[in-house]
Amino acid sequence: MKTLLVTGGAGFIGSNFCHYWAKHHPEDKIVVLDALTYAGHEEYLSDLKDSAGLEFVHGDICDYSLLEALFEKHPFDHVVHFAAESHVDRSISGPDAFIETNIIGTHNLLKLAKLHWLDKGVSEHRFHHVSTDEVYGSLEADDPAFSESTAFAPNSPYSASKAASDHLVRAYHHTFGLNVSTSNCSNNYGPRQDKEKLIPLIIHNILHGEALPIYGDGMNIRDWLYVDDHCYAIDLILQQGLNGEVYNVGGENEWANLHIVELICDLIDKKLLAEPTYLTKFSESPIAKGGKAKDLISFVKDRAGHDRRYAIDPSKCHAELNYHPRETFETGIAKTLDWYLAEAVKV
C-alpha cells in the first residue's frame, strides 16, 4: 500500500490522475493538496472522497508550515507533483505567481521530501515531478521532435519557471540521492480542463455563439495527449521508471491550432444537429441559427513569445516502459466533447 501526496490534485490533470489512481490502485491512500485557484475545483474529487477515502487539503505549496504538518501527519512514500501555474498568457501579464509557485513551491516540497525520507532513512520513496515540453523551446516545421536530451530553451516566464523546477528536481537527486522521476508532457486535453485552455474555450464559445479567437495565422503546432493516457504514463513511470530519469510523454498526434478548431467546429455542429435537445439548450450556437460554428473563427494578434511548434519523441517511453497512447485522437476528442456537452447541459 502506498500513501501519495498529490499536489494540484483538484486541477485538470491532477484530478484525472486521482480518478485514474483510485480506479487502478484502490488499496492506496491519496492525500490531495490544492490551492483552489481559478483552475482547481474541489468538486472534481467529491466522489473519490466518498468512494476511495481520498483526503483533500486546501492549501498552497508555498506554505512551508502547512507542508511540514502534512509530512508529519501522513507517512507519504510518493509525491506526485502537479501543482503549478501553467497558463502562458497569465505568465506574460503576471509572472510573479509563476516564480513563486513553480520554483519556490517545488523547492519546499523537495526540502521536506529530503527531510522526511533521506534524513530519516526511508529508502522506498519517489518524488515524481510533472513538467512540460515547453521547457525545450520551439521547433521549426522540419526539426526533429524533442527528446530527453534536447537542451532547455524556455521562451516564456511559465516555461522558464518549469525549467527551473526541473533542474531543482534533478539537483536533489544528484546532490542528495533523492529518488525522483520527471515527465515532460505535450499538450493535454480531456475532461475537467479550465476553459482558458484552447479546446474547452472553443467548445464553450461555440455553444454560446461567441467568437473563436485564433492567435496569428493559427498554424502553431502542438502534440495533443489525452489526459488519461498521460495518467497511464505516470503510472508506468512510478512502477517501472528508473530512479533519476526523465521521460517525455507525447500523444503522437501533431495538429495545427487552426485545424483543431475547425475539427471541433464540425464535430459540435454534427452533435447538436443529431440531438434536438442540444439545439434547444444551446440556442445561441451558430448551428441552432442556421449557420456553422466555423463562422465564429476570428484571427487575433499573436501573443508575445508564441512558440511555433512542439513535438515529442516518445521512443524512450516506448523502449523502457512499453508506453503507447491508448486513445486515438478521434476517440479522445469524442470523449472530451461528450463530457463538456454533458456538463454544459447541467448549467
Side-chain angles (χ1 to χ4, degrees):
M1 176 180 174
K2 298 181 178 67
T3 303
L4 287 74
L5 172 61
V6 180
T7 69
F12 166 44
I13 306 176
S15 62
N16 280 283
F17 175 81
C18 290
H19 281 85
Y20 173 96
W21 200 267
K23 177 180 178 181
H24 293 277
H25 304 280
E27 71 282 3
D28 291 347
K29 169 72 174 179
I30 301 172
V31 179
V32 167
L33 175 66
D34 199 291
L36 298 181
T37 59
Y38 71 96
H41 303 277
E42 189 176 352
E43 59 267 28
Y44 287 168
L45 304 170
S46 57
D47 55 333
L48 295 181
K49 287 191 286 187
D50 297 330
S51 64
L54 177 145
E55 180 178 334
F56 177 79
V57 179
H58 182 195
D60 194 323
I61 58 172
C62 292
D63 185 343
Y64 187 86
S65 296
L66 173 62
L67 292 178
E68 193 172 32
L70 283 176
F71 272 86
E72 290 287 349
K73 178 180 178 182
H74 298 282
F76 297 128
D77 44 43
H78 283 66
V79 171
V80 186
H81 178 35
F82 294 96
E85 293 287 345
S86 64
H87 197 264
V88 176
D89 286 356
R90 286 175 178 261
S91 82
I92 295 168
S93 60
D96 288 6
F98 290 74
I99 305 305
E100 292 163 5
T101 297
N102 299 351
I103 301 177
I104 304 302
T106 299
H107 191 224
N108 284 342
L109 288 163
L110 288 165
K111 286 192 293 183
L112 284 163
K114 175 184 177 295
L115 175 65
H116 285 267
W117 293 341
L118 297 182
D119 296 357
K120 296 182 180 181
V122 179
S123 59
E124 296 297 320
H125 65 264
R126 175 67 69 88
F127 187 108
H128 182 73
H129 176 56
V130 180
S131 191
T132 171
D133 57 1
E134 296 192 39
V135 300
Y136 299 120
S138 181
L139 296 170
E140 296 301 325
D142 297 328
D143 287 344
F146 299 133
S147 73
E148 290 80 2
S149 61
T150 301
F152 281 15
N155 290 321
S156 70
Y158 161 59
S159 56
S161 66
K162 289 298 289 185
S165 63
D166 288 17
H167 286 314
L168 283 170
V169 172
R170 175 184 171 86
Y172 265 74
H173 170 69
H174 285 276
T175 301
F176 303 115
L178 193 70
N179 294 343
V180 307
S181 52
T182 296
S183 55
N184 293 84
C185 68
S186 57
N187 277 40
N188 280 221
Y189 70 98
R192 306 183 185 92
Q193 190 171 28
D194 187 80
K195 70 176 185 292
E196 285 197 348
K197 300 291 187 175
L198 178 65
I199 289 178
L201 173 68
I202 295 305
I203 296 169
H204 175 273
N205 285 13
I206 292 172
L207 297 180
H208 295 87
E210 300 172 7
L212 307 180
I214 307 295
Y215 283 128
D217 62 2
M219 297 310 292
N220 300 77
I221 294 173
R222 301 293 182 259
D223 175 24
W224 291 92
L225 171 66
Y226 188 64
V227 66
D228 274 3
D229 281 329
H230 185 189
C231 297
Y232 169 53
I234 294 173
D235 189 0
L236 291 175
I237 294 168
L238 291 176
Q239 305 301 327
Q240 305 172 30
L242 298 178
N243 180 25
E245 289 296 306
V246 174
Y247 295 91
N248 281 357
V249 181
E252 302 176 46
N253 179 48
E254 290 185 50
W255 283 74
N257 287 344
L258 177 60
H259 298 157
I260 285 276
V261 173
E262 291 174 336
L263 173 66
I264 293 172
C265 286
D266 290 341
L267 291 174
I268 291 183
D269 282 351
K270 290 177 182 177
K271 283 183 176 290
L272 267 58
L273 282 175
E275 179 52 67
T277 58
Y278 284 161
L279 287 177
T280 301
K281 174 67 177 179
F282 306 115
S283 58
E284 295 302 310
S285 64
I287 199 72
K289 296 181 174 183
K292 294 183 178 180
K294 287 179 180 176
D295 298 338
L296 297 172
I297 292 174
S298 64
F299 293 89
V300 299
K301 182 181 178 182
D302 208 355
R303 74 182 179 204
H306 197 183
D307 292 334
R308 190 63 173 173
R309 172 176 168 248
Y310 305 142
I312 286 286
D313 175 357
S315 55
K316 182 175 180 177
C317 273
H318 291 175
E320 296 188 13
L321 306 175
N322 194 28
Y323 167 77
H324 299 271
R326 297 188 289 191
E327 297 288 346
T328 66
F329 190 63
E330 290 73 18
T331 61
I333 199 66
K335 290 180 178 181
T336 301
L337 291 176
D338 286 343
W339 188 88
Y340 281 102
L341 283 169
E343 289 296 303
V345 166
K346 295 177 185 176
V347 178

